[in-house]
Amino acid sequence: MGFAQCEVIDFGCGKGYLSALLTLRHSINVIGLESNESTVSSAMSRFRKISKQWPVLKKRLTAPEYVVKETPGTFCVLPCTVRRDLNSDSYLEKPETYLLCGLHTCGSLGNDIAEVFVQNERNLGLCFVGCCYHYMEEEFDRRQPCDGHSMFPLSAYLRRKQFFFGKNTRMLASQSVDRTLREGRKRLDVSARSLFFRALLQILLVRSILPDKTDNLERCDPDEVRVGRIPVDLQTSFSEYAEKAGKICGFPAAVLGPECEEVFQQFKSVEVHMKIVNLLRIVLGACVEQVMLLDRLCYLEEQEGIAEVGLIAMFDPVVSPRSWAICARKLQQPVQQS
């Protein structure tokens, strides 16, 4: 952001990949905040190892854009659960002005960072990339209990609408249009087959495992059975898929086996429709993510004292589907030390 004296606070720094880069290559003093205490120790251990090897490693950075300063900055990681009322000044020995950043901030962490940025005048810069939107809490979704901090939406417009997505819709935001298109038709067909088999499995489970629970698929509790990801290709049969699911969920093969082929034959004509549904999911997933990003962007635009707010394509979306960064800069001049 161009401030002469600027610390960086890296929210959810993980093992310190971004922090180490800023510290060693750009001589920036970085404080990492990480909620997982075991990750805190791993980050510091990793940084110490890289620091010892840095004199050799930096010689390999010969391209003009990789300008490396002679004296590295400092880096430390502190255990911290980030909340919107966090006093970021408390983590700096000599608080002046600083920038808040976060690389792939899961769930509501992106909302937390935006609110922390707004609340403290010393936070002059902000740059973060969202991630894992299915973990994000929503204020107006009554079906999902939440603890009331930094919930979606943040912007005044969506709050007036009492807008919410629901978890299933937020899951769509994890779809990657660019990566799917790069991988081509085969990948689309495999993805659709996996979705189709999961739908068939639900029918099979209701018929064979949960007949005493409900006769209505819509009333079946989706949390009762967790299958996870089962590898599927175009040669995988539904019987093979159901067998793997049975092992994961602890259902005996004798229960699932007899009806597998019957269910598949009954609904096999639906698979082509599932391909269409899958395409819509992938396309609409990008729209869902954009609404979440724009909500954060509008929230920052609504605040007083904000000079600039921008939504920037930071990464190659094929390599990193979560590629959009929200950046902001305040109007305030750097705070003078007394």
Side-chain angles (χ1 to χ4, degrees):
M1 291 291 175
F3 303 118
Q5 297 178 324
C6 183
E7 303 284 351
V8 168
I9 300 181
D10 185 4
F11 286 74
C13 68
K15 293 186 177 180
Y17 297 104
L18 174 62
S19 299
L21 185 71
L22 295 174
T23 299
L24 296 173
R25 181 182 292 178
H26 301 290
S27 300
I28 295 173
N29 299 325
V30 180
I31 293 175
L33 302 182
E34 173 57 45
S35 61
N36 189 319
E37 293 195 15
S38 63
T39 304
V40 170
S41 58
S42 297
M44 290 307 302
S45 176
R46 177 182 178 275
F47 181 74
R48 284 191 291 268
K49 291 177 182 178
I50 295 178
S51 297
K52 290 179 181 179
Q53 301 172 8
W54 185 243
V56 176
L57 292 174
K58 70 178 182 180
K59 293 178 182 178
R60 301 178 186 176
L61 304 175
T62 56
E65 63 268 25
Y66 293 144
V67 177
V68 181
K69 296 185 179 180
E70 290 297 324
T71 305
T74 60
F75 172 55
C76 68
V77 187
L78 302 174
C80 172
T81 299
V82 177
R83 307 281 293 201
R84 62 183 174 184
D85 56 356
L86 175 74
N87 178 13
S88 42
D89 278 358
S90 63
Y91 293 96
L92 300 174
E93 292 183 4
K94 297 180 180 180
E96 297 177 357
T97 59
Y98 45 89
L99 178 145
L100 307 183
C101 72
L103 182 60
H104 295 152
T105 53
C106 289
S108 294
L109 180 56
N111 292 352
D112 285 318
I113 294 176
E115 294 207 52
V116 171
F117 171 71
V118 167
Q119 291 172 8
N120 192 322
E121 64 178 4
R122 298 181 188 274
N123 301 332
L124 293 190
L126 173 70
C127 180
F128 71 95
V129 178
C131 186
C132 300
Y133 299 111
H134 54 292
Y135 291 132
M136 188 171 65
E137 296 180 332
E138 297 189 77
E139 181 174 357
F140 302 110
D141 184 2
R142 305 305 180 190
R143 298 166 298 180
Q144 181 183 3
C146 50
D147 63 10
H149 82 284
S150 297
M151 294 176 291
F152 173 87
L154 292 176
S155 66
Y157 176 77
L158 290 185
R159 289 185 61 78
R160 286 197 301 271
K161 298 285 187 179
Q162 296 192 358
F163 184 88
F164 69 93
F165 282 116
K167 185 175 181 180
N168 288 339
T169 304
R170 295 199 313 274
M171 289 286 289
L172 295 183
S174 298
Q175 301 286 339
S176 172
V177 176
D178 300 273
R179 183 176 291 177
T180 302
L181 293 177
R182 176 71 63 87
E183 293 174 347
R185 175 66 180 273
K186 182 178 179 180
R187 175 57 189 165
L188 283 171
D189 290 344
V190 169
S191 178
R193 168 147 289 201
S194 177
L195 184 66
F196 176 55
F197 280 177
R198 289 179 72 89
L200 291 183
L201 182 66
Q202 182 177 3
I203 295 172
L204 186 63
L205 292 178
V206 170
R207 288 184 179 182
S208 303
I209 305 297
L210 308 171
D212 59 327
K213 299 287 182 69
T214 178
D215 293 324
N216 187 332
L217 289 177
E218 294 182 356
R219 291 172 53 204
C220 181
D221 185 356
D223 292 329
E224 288 196 55
V225 179
R226 292 185 178 274
V227 176
R229 293 185 179 181
I230 298 177
V232 171
D233 58 38
L234 296 180
Q235 284 69 50
T236 303
S237 68
F238 178 59
S239 296
E240 294 171 333
Y241 180 89
E243 181 181 356
K244 292 177 182 178
K247 291 179 179 178
I248 293 172
C249 301
F251 301 140
V255 176
L256 293 177
E259 291 196 55
C260 282
E261 186 60 25
E262 178 184 340
V263 170
F264 178 75
Q265 291 298 329
Q266 180 180 354
F267 293 99
K268 66 179 182 180
S269 62
V270 179
E271 184 170 10
V272 65
H273 301 290
M274 295 300 287
K275 292 181 179 180
I276 298 172
V277 170
N278 191 50
L279 282 172
L280 289 173
R281 282 164 51 89
I282 293 170
V283 172
L284 293 177
C287 298
V288 174
E289 181 184 22
Q290 290 299 312
V291 171
M292 296 176 184
L293 293 173
L294 290 173
D295 172 65
R296 294 170 175 178
L297 195 76
C298 290
Y299 167 75
L300 293 170
E301 289 275 15
E302 292 163 0
Q303 309 306 313
E304 295 182 0
I306 304 295
E308 294 178 276
V309 178
L311 191 59
I312 300 172
M314 185 74 74
F315 308 118
D316 180 346
V318 175
V319 178
S320 175
R322 307 283 75 78
S323 58
W324 290 96
I326 292 179
C327 299
R329 179 176 65 84
K330 287 183 179 175
L331 285 168
Q332 285 92 332
Q333 296 298 313
V335 178
Q336 299 297 322
Q337 283 188 304
S338 58

